[in-house]
Amino acid sequence: MNTENYGRVPFIPAPTLRRHKVYEGGDDRFRSASRLQQALFREGRAWPIGRYKTARGTMRKMGNYLSAAAASEGANFISTEIAKLVRREVAYREDGALIDVSRLNCNMLSSHPAVFNFFGGLKLDLCLATETFRLIAPGFVREVTNVLFEHSPARQHPAYTGCRTAWDTFIRCTTVEQENGFIAIELKLSETLQEPAPTLRPRHDELSRLSGLYKDPDHPALRSNPLQQFWRQHLLAYALILNGQATRGRFIVVAPKYNLNVQEAIAEYRRHLTNTADGVEFDSVTFDDVVRCIGHAGAKDLSDALYARYCCFDAVDGLI
């Protein structure tokens, strides 16, 4: 019996976590298992362990961190081509884009590198991107024309949301009806969705009421964790259409199937939606879904590499 059979990751004994230098008292069940998963992945490839700065300002070895030397060689990315893409994307990032370069290169548990690992290969091959997103969003995508990272149409612009909200990945496409379309993506890895929330703006309330997306656009649950980020990003996607930047769009959350905090939040968020036909549609897919779609689109090596890095808990199960 293993994670796949039970449908949930195991509780990891503290001595096991300490042995692999991934014990963190504040970790929940999934984050603990994922931290160990990444440490075992690093160990299996003999990549040197890295350090991070604690809240007390001391440097501590952590199993899911890469050494500076390994990070500089692009070890946090699943191909040399994606590592090169990341360097270019960081250098030419949008003004105001929030990219923590240290986490991106060194922290294997961070969603920063996961975004590039999942979607970097699709930016490098738009034909692959097209075939993949035809499977992820059937009946919606005709052709993918670009893949952007840490994208916002206009940070802090009052015509949008008036804040710094952005999407992890933004897929420009033409739809099957030959419309100007997009898919806005938020990717979560081990997040709990209890991270500190930013200050909300009056524009959020205005868009919430105007959009027709919500059964109760003033519901307080939309404005607090764990839903507030989904709400802000969905409203930004609606504002894109409102401002004539696109005709149709979708907002998709991508997350591991075993991250129950995120999966439960997705289910709760759906309960607030009206599912109006003229709004920006909401959907969610798991890491496993994306991996399968990439594989079916013809990139088996990329699919296998993503599965081994993010979806397979066999090494963790082997320690139980």
Side-chain angles (χ1 to χ4, degrees):
M1 298 293 284
N2 55 21
T3 292
E4 185 174 357
N5 298 134
Y6 281 106
R8 54 187 177 270
V9 297
F11 286 107
I12 313 297
T16 300
L17 296 173
R18 289 193 172 97
R19 186 164 64 250
H20 294 276
K21 293 183 170 55
V22 289
Y23 179 80
E24 278 287 298
D27 283 352
D28 66 3
R29 179 178 186 165
F30 179 77
R31 189 172 181 84
S32 178
S34 293
R35 195 185 296 279
L36 177 59
Q37 176 196 38
Q38 295 303 315
L40 294 173
F41 191 88
R42 177 190 58 76
E43 291 171 12
R45 284 145 187 82
W47 293 334
I49 192 171
R51 298 172 181 265
Y52 84 107
K53 185 179 288 188
T54 68
R56 296 179 178 179
T58 58
M59 298 303 294
R60 175 188 168 192
K61 285 185 176 181
M62 179 60 78
N64 59 282
Y65 274 70
L66 294 163
S67 70
S72 68
E73 293 174 359
N76 214 8
F77 306 103
I78 58 176
S79 72
T80 56
E81 292 78 15
I82 290 175
K84 290 177 182 177
L85 171 70
V86 170
R87 289 194 291 272
R88 189 165 63 247
E89 289 291 323
V90 170
Y92 292 96
R93 64 189 179 273
E94 296 175 6
D95 289 341
L98 298 178
I99 297 178
D100 185 327
V101 176
S102 177
R103 287 181 61 211
L104 177 65
N105 291 317
C106 299
N107 186 356
M108 299 178 68
L109 188 63
S110 170
S111 59
H112 278 21
V115 168
F116 287 101
N117 282 332
F118 272 96
F119 301 110
L122 306 190
K123 184 178 180 76
L124 294 171
D125 184 346
L126 292 182
C127 290
L128 173 63
T130 294
E131 294 304 316
T132 298
F133 277 97
R134 284 176 178 172
L135 295 170
I136 291 174
F140 183 78
V141 172
R142 177 183 177 87
E143 181 183 9
V144 171
T145 57
N146 204 355
V147 178
L148 306 176
F149 297 100
E150 190 57 28
H151 173 67
S152 172
R155 286 175 175 81
Q156 298 181 299
H157 195 290
Y160 290 85
T161 55
C163 66
R164 298 174 65 89
T165 298
W167 305 291
D168 287 327
T169 308
F170 186 79
I171 310 298
R172 295 192 189 279
C173 65
T174 55
T175 71
V176 292
E177 290 86 9
Q178 297 281 24
E179 297 170 299
N180 179 16
F182 68 87
I183 297 176
I185 295 173
E186 175 63 18
L187 183 143
K188 298 298 184 187
L189 204 172
S190 65
E191 289 89 343
T192 64
L193 299 181
Q194 296 301 324
E195 293 75 21
T199 301
L200 299 178
R201 316 280 177 160
R203 181 61 168 164
H204 291 117
D205 295 330
E206 182 181 356
L207 288 171
S208 191
R209 295 169 190 141
L210 187 63
S211 68
L213 292 169
Y214 304 102
K215 296 172 183 175
D216 178 0
D218 296 314
H219 200 292
L222 296 170
R223 293 155 172 81
S224 59
N225 285 332
L227 305 186
Q228 56 82 20
Q229 186 180 20
F230 296 164
W231 179 65
R232 287 186 292 108
Q233 292 178 316
H234 204 168
L235 292 177
L236 182 61
Y238 169 73
L240 196 72
I241 293 178
L242 188 66
N243 283 277
Q245 297 299 306
T247 308
R248 288 189 64 198
R250 286 192 180 179
F251 170 47
I252 297 180
V253 177
V254 178
K257 64 183 177 182
Y258 300 124
N259 186 335
L260 300 186
N261 285 315
V262 175
Q263 295 301 332
E264 289 168 4
I266 289 169
E268 183 182 350
Y269 185 69
R270 287 186 190 279
R271 290 193 284 271
H272 287 272
L273 297 174
T274 59
N275 296 316
T276 55
D278 56 347
V280 179
E281 297 174 66
F282 174 76
D283 203 358
S284 66
V285 294
T286 67
F287 280 14
D288 295 76
D289 293 332
V290 177
V291 166
R292 278 193 294 269
C293 289
I294 291 172
H296 288 318
K300 187 176 186 304
D301 288 347
L302 176 59
S303 174
D304 289 347
L306 287 167
Y307 181 83
R309 174 74 186 267
Y310 294 108
C311 303
C312 181
F313 282 85
D314 288 354
V316 173
D317 294 328
L319 298 179
I320 302 300

